[in-house]
Amino acid sequence: MIEDRQSTAKEVSASLFFGTIFTEHMLLAEYKDGAGWSTLRIEPYAPFSLDPATAVFHYGQAVFDGLKAYRGHDGQIRVFRPSTYLERFNASARRMCMPALDLNEALPALIELVRRERDSVPAGDGMALYLRPAMIASEPFLGVRPAKRYIFFAIASPAGPYYDDEKPLRIRVEDRYTRAAQGGIGAAKTGANYAASLLATEKAHRDGFDQVLWLDGMRREYLEEAGTMNIMLRLGDEVVTPRLGGTILPGVMRDSVLRLLRDWGIPATERAVSVNEVVDASNAGTLREAWGTGTASGLVPIGELAYRSQSLVINGGVAGELSDRLKTALADIQYGRTPDRHKWTVLV
Ligand code: COI
């Protein structure tokens, strides 16, 4: 294990925080204009030494993704939907004028990294080896244009749940700051989107909230994302979630939950959802549940949405039965307790 390195892989426990310790190896490759990608290789985890003029430090040309490997009750390690995540990684790279990976090479290399680190995959529901593939512009150059050199790397971090508290989240509907605009980079997993979220999120934390729910950048009227998660609401008998329109992240967990709901015959609609519709539903008693979906977070119930002076308490502030059912169904697939009908998991 790499730093805070007081614990070893075998000591990883349910008290593990997200993103604090790293395994001993990383995946690495370099790209040069004209030459393409070097061979992907596994190397000891180590810091980079980069010129202060390196493009990523100045203009943020960088992308990442996050996916998880789970230790099943049967002792088998399963990686959840790795090709879907790597396809999204490539879509982010294209949006940021960065070279795509050859997935025929990247996918087996990532699985090989997990195999190498299999002893570091923690056991227990909520626990996983979080894999963080990333790419940065590594050319030392201060002009504003796509770089001619890149570094791809993937690191692995044994992790517990992103939200360590089991309580449903209290979320502020953010009506001042926005995260993304039509035509922008909101659908790409690039650091700038996360940097843009910090100030509003810090202010929400200061006021006692766990997260913010972003509204659209034009009218501050339509729901977008809840912090690092997509959002879903159960309104009456229907589940609704903001449609993908270029401003929100196409979540892999979002897609997985929509597929489960449709398997179960529960109407699940991707459409524009206005904050006024949510307030009206709350007043009418039809806002039955809400939850966020994300890879780091998993499926997390939302117990309250605060919009301006109104507090919309959802399901009495406790997790609802549908979110519980979804969470269990996902965990059963990820930890191998149920047949994987969708072929979402790759055995390591
Ligand atoms: C993930 O869910 O993997 C994310 O990207 C959230 C992360 C920024 C902590």
Side-chain angles (χ1 to χ4, degrees), residues 18 64 66 130 132 162 189 194 228 294-297:
F18 175 83
F64 70 95
Y130 183 78
R132 170 54 64 89
Y162 190 76
K189 222 159 163 58
Y194 296 81
T228 62
T295 299
S297 62

Side-chain angles (χ1 to χ4, degrees), residues 162-163 167-175 179 193-194 196-214 225-231 291-293 296-297 300-307:
Y162 190 76
Y163 294 103
K167 277 206 313 276
L169 302 180
R170 296 185 60 231
I171 293 190
R172 170 190 275 165
V173 182
E174 178 57 58
D175 67 347
R179 173 185 173 277
N193 284 325
Y194 296 81
S197 76
L198 295 178
L199 183 59
T201 311
E202 277 307 286
K203 289 189 174 185
H205 286 162
R206 246 178 270 149
D207 293 339
F209 296 100
D210 300 298
Q211 260 304 346
V212 296
L213 169 57
W214 300 108
E225 296 187 343
T228 62
M229 303 179 293
N230 295 111
I231 186 167
W291 60 84
T293 60
S297 62
V300 187
I302 298 171
E304 182 188 344
L305 291 173
Y307 179 55

Side-chain angles (χ1 to χ4, degrees), residues 31-344:
Y31 178 95
K32 271 191 207 151
D33 245 20
W37 284 107
S38 71
T39 309
L40 274 159
R41 58 201 188 274
I42 293 177
E43 290 203 352
Y45 185 107
F48 295 124
S49 171
L50 291 170
D51 191 300
T54 302
V56 67
F57 296 143
H58 303 274
Y59 309 123
Q61 200 192 3
V63 294
F64 70 95
D65 220 297
L67 64 161
K68 282 180 171 172
Y70 301 86
R71 180 177 296 280
H73 72 117
D74 52 0
Q76 300 245 46
I77 310 291
R78 292 171 177 81
V79 186
F80 191 70
R81 304 191 69 178
S83 27
T84 310
Y85 282 99
L86 289 179
E87 278 157 20
R88 183 173 71 177
F89 182 89
N90 273 350
S92 299
R94 281 189 282 271
R95 178 63 183 85
M96 302 305 286
C97 293
M98 301 171 84
L101 299 172
D102 178 346
L103 298 194
N104 293 324
E105 291 182 14
L107 181 61
L110 195 64
I111 301 297
E112 185 53 37
L113 178 68
V114 178
R115 188 168 295 126
R116 183 76 76 94
E117 305 290 18
R118 58 180 303 125
D119 289 348
S120 299
V121 183
D125 269 31
M127 309 296 291
L129 185 67
Y130 183 78
L131 304 168
R132 170 54 64 89
M135 194 196 314
I136 57 168
S138 57
E139 183 190 6
F141 176 63
L142 294 185
V144 179
R145 59 147 170 76
K148 293 185 189 297
R149 289 182 186 202
Y150 297 89
I151 297 172
F152 167 79
F153 57 96
I155 54 176
S157 174
Y162 190 76
Y163 294 103
D164 45 9
D165 198 336
E166 287 279 288
K167 277 206 313 276
L169 302 180
R170 296 185 60 231
I171 293 190
R172 170 190 275 165
V173 182
E174 178 57 58
D175 67 347
R176 178 173 172 212
Y177 300 104
T178 61
R179 173 185 173 277
Q182 282 296 337
I185 55 173
K189 222 159 163 58
T190 184
N193 284 325
Y194 296 81
S197 76
L198 295 178
L199 183 59
T201 311
E202 277 307 286
K203 289 189 174 185
H205 286 162
R206 246 178 270 149
D207 293 339
F209 296 100
D210 300 298
Q211 260 304 346
V212 296
L213 169 57
W214 300 108
L215 297 178
D216 71 279
M218 181 120 90
R219 300 162 64 160
R220 315 274 197 284
E221 190 177 339
Y222 293 99
L223 272 46
E224 298 234 306
E225 296 187 343
T228 62
M229 303 179 293
N230 295 111
I231 186 167
M232 295 187 182
L233 304 124
R234 186 178 182 195
L235 303 180
D237 293 327
E238 184 193 23
V239 172
V240 298
T241 191
R243 76 160 88 88
L244 303 177
T247 57
I248 66 174
L249 197 80
V252 179
M253 298 306 288
R254 172 187 182 278
D255 177 72
S256 308
V257 166
L258 287 174
R259 289 225 231 155
L260 288 178
L261 289 168
R262 287 166 188 159
D263 287 352
W264 298 343
I266 296 174
T269 315
E270 300 168 73
R271 62 168 171 83
V273 184
S274 76
V275 63
N276 291 332
E277 177 184 356
V278 178
V279 172
D280 290 348
S282 174
N283 290 336
T286 55
L287 173 56
R288 296 171 67 189
E289 291 184 52
W291 60 84
T293 60
T295 299
S297 62
L299 190 150
V300 187
I302 298 171
E304 182 188 344
L305 291 173
Y307 179 55
R308 299 189 174 153
S309 59
Q310 303 178 74
S311 161
L312 318 181
V313 175
I314 303 167
N315 196 42
V318 297
E321 44 109 0
L322 185 55
S323 72
D324 274 348
R325 184 180 170 200
L326 284 162
K327 195 171 170 165
T328 304
L330 282 169
D332 285 348
I333 297 169
Q334 290 159 338
Y335 295 95
R337 288 188 289 257
T338 198
D340 175 14
R341 292 184 40 231
H342 297 278
K343 304 209 182 330
W344 280 338

